[in-house]
Each structure stands twice: as structure tokens, then as C-alpha cells.
Amino acid sequence: MNNLLLAIADVSKIATDDYVGFTFFVGCMAMMAASAFFFLSMNSFDRKWRTSILVSGLITFIAAVHYWYMRDYWAAHAESPTFFRYVDWVLTVPLMCVEFYLILKVAGAKKSLMWRLIFLSVVMLVTGYLGEAVYRDQAQIWGLISGIAYFVIVYDIWLGQAKKLAIQAGGSILKAHKTLCWFVLVGWAIYPIGYMAGTPGWYDGIFGGLAMDVIYNIGDAVNKIGFGLVVYAAAVASTSPAEA
Ligand SMILES: *C/C=C(C)/C=C/C=C(C)/C=C/C1=C(C)CCCC1(C)C
């Protein structure tokens, strides 16, 4: 009986002022709920939207699994789970690039656009990882390279080929594309702030006091769930009788 009680009680404590632990916990739950929502609503849409909604669900599901591990890791070691964090990103951010492609496919988007965005996102993340985890004393340089890749992505979707395709498609596609562009410009900009809070550099005096993981966790919730909901809304809009 005692053992059973111990087994039930064997959950790590989360202190009331542990905002990192708290946001890992809530983030995990939110990602799970979002995944259930996307997966279960998938089949109520046209075929051409199903893959997009499926990808939205995969993004939040992959994140939910990583958050499960990150929550545990933080509770056990009180250290940033950098490895799990970047494995999560390197899987989910390319899927967000796929999402751009899937939406623009109706306007004739080519696979090359998708691969270009995926490549840029991997460069952004690998260089970010090098600065955060491997060459921390050169974090500023790696962060700068990562930032350049990020800006090329922003340019591509806001002003480059992707934008032309979105204009051609018009209607709910153009609207969804624009909203996703704002997510990348403003929502993704949360991450470099987390990076500057968690690595040494000229920016120490500005962001040094902030908790990197809380910032990353907020960014993930906004971007992964928000991105998925934009796609969901676009699917709803283009399935409604008004536009059918
Ligand atoms: C679901 C996860 C997402 C959308 C993660 C996005 C991550 C970034 C946009 C990270 C960007 C970074 C920079 C632009 C510079 C500093 C290093 C990074 C990797 C934090």
C-alpha cells in the first residue's frame, strides 16, 4: 500500500514560482489538445485541405511529445532541454514550410519553393544550435548567421515567389498566406529574443534577465497552435457555401 502511494505520488514538484516548469506543463497540454482538435476535424474538409490540416496536427503532436520529455527533463535537472528543443524544431519548422507550399499549391507552387524554405529553416536552426549548445562563446556569430537565414525566409514569403503565387490564388488562400506571413515576421521573432536571453553577447544588458525557456515556450504555443488555426480557418472559409 505504501509503495502504491509512493508510486502515485512520484510526480516531480513544481514550485509556484517555477515559470519554466509551469509553461512546459501547460505547453504540453495545449499541444495535445490542439493535436486532438486538428486530427478529429480533418475529415470534415475537402480532400485538398485534408493534408494541410493533417500537417497542422502533426506539428502540434510532435511538439506535444517533445514537451512531455522537456517537462520531465526540466523537473529532473532544472536545466534547459536544449537537445529536445532543437530536435522538435528541426522536425516542426520544416513542416511549417511544407504548410506554405500546400496552401499555395492550388496557385501552382513548385516543390522547389518548398525545398528552398526547408533548406533555409534547417540552416537557421542548425546554426542556432551551434551557438546555443556547442560554441557558446561564439553565440553572437552563430546567432547572426541564423538570423540571416531567417530574414531570407521572411523575404521569400513576404516579397518573393510565394507572395506572387498567393496573389494569383486570391481569396481565402491569399488571406491565409498573409496571416502566416505575419506569424513568421512577428511570432518567429520571439525566438531570437529567447536566444539572446540564454546566450552570452552584447545583448546581455538588454535580455540577460529573461528566462530563455519561458520565451521559447510562449513562442511555440503562439506559432504552432496559431499557425494550425490559420490553416483551419482557411479550410473552413473555402468550404463554406459562400465560396463553394
Ligand atoms: C515550432 C517552432 C518554431 C516555429 C521555431 C522557430 C525558431 C526560430 C525562428 C528560431 C530562430 C533563431 C534565430 C532567428 C536566431 C537565433 C537562433 C534561433 C535558432 C533561436
Side-chain angles (χ1 to χ4, degrees):
M1 186 60 190
N2 259 346
N3 277 343
L4 178 64
L5 281 179
L6 272 178
I8 293 171
D10 191 14
V11 173
S12 304
K13 281 189 191 167
I14 296 183
T16 47
D17 61 349
D18 178 3
Y19 299 108
V20 176
F22 172 75
T23 51
F24 273 129
F25 200 95
V26 175
C28 187
M29 225 29 113
M31 296 294 179
M32 286 189 201
S35 310
F37 176 77
F38 293 131
F39 289 146
L40 291 172
S41 65
M42 203 177 109
N43 284 321
S44 53
F45 295 106
D46 273 11
R47 277 207 52 169
K48 75 169 199 245
W49 281 104
R50 262 178 233 166
T51 320
S52 303
I53 308 280
L54 173 65
V55 172
S56 293
L58 287 176
I59 290 169
T60 52
F61 180 72
I62 292 170
V65 175
H66 284 84
Y67 266 73
W68 179 268
Y69 283 100
M70 292 199 285
R71 183 194 51 78
D72 247 6
Y73 187 96
W74 174 262
H77 308 289
E79 252 173 44
S80 292
T82 311
F83 173 80
F84 293 111
R85 174 80 73 190
Y86 275 85
V87 174
D88 172 341
W89 288 354
V90 96
L91 297 170
T92 53
V93 177
L95 280 175
M96 292 175 145
C97 300
V98 171
E99 204 81 282
F100 271 101
Y101 163 74
L102 287 175
I103 286 182
L104 296 176
K105 221 166 95 177
V106 284
K110 294 200 192 72
K111 284 243 169 63
S112 58
L113 171 75
M114 177 184 85
W115 287 115
R116 187 182 148 86
L117 291 176
I118 290 178
F119 173 77
L120 288 164
S121 71
V122 171
V123 170
M124 173 181 86
L125 296 171
V126 169
T127 50
Y129 182 77
L130 291 175
E132 197 174 311
V134 187
Y135 307 111
R136 276 184 74 81
D137 46 339
Q138 303 166 6
Q140 304 178 83
I141 300 182
W142 292 107
L144 180 68
I145 302 172
S146 174
I148 291 170
Y150 168 54
F151 274 116
V152 181
I153 296 175
V154 169
Y155 175 86
D156 263 14
I157 56 172
W158 273 90
L159 304 162
Q161 206 198 351
K163 192 206 171 182
K164 291 193 196 91
L165 290 165
I167 291 174
Q168 271 173 40
S172 54
I173 306 263
L174 177 60
K175 202 171 148 222
H177 179 79
K178 271 202 182 139
T179 315
L180 292 183
C181 283
W182 277 107
F183 267 94
V184 173
L185 183 67
V186 180
W188 288 21
I190 294 171
Y191 297 95
I193 297 174
Y195 182 87
M196 289 189 276
T199 59
W202 59 267
Y203 36 69
D204 283 351
I206 312 172
F207 300 110
L210 302 173
M212 180 183 76
D213 284 291
V214 173
I215 299 173
Y216 283 165
N217 291 352
I218 293 172
D220 280 355
V222 169
N223 289 295
K224 292 184 165 65
I225 301 174
F227 225 74
L229 287 175
V230 172
V231 174
Y232 176 85
V236 171
S238 66
T239 318
S240 71
E243 253 192 72

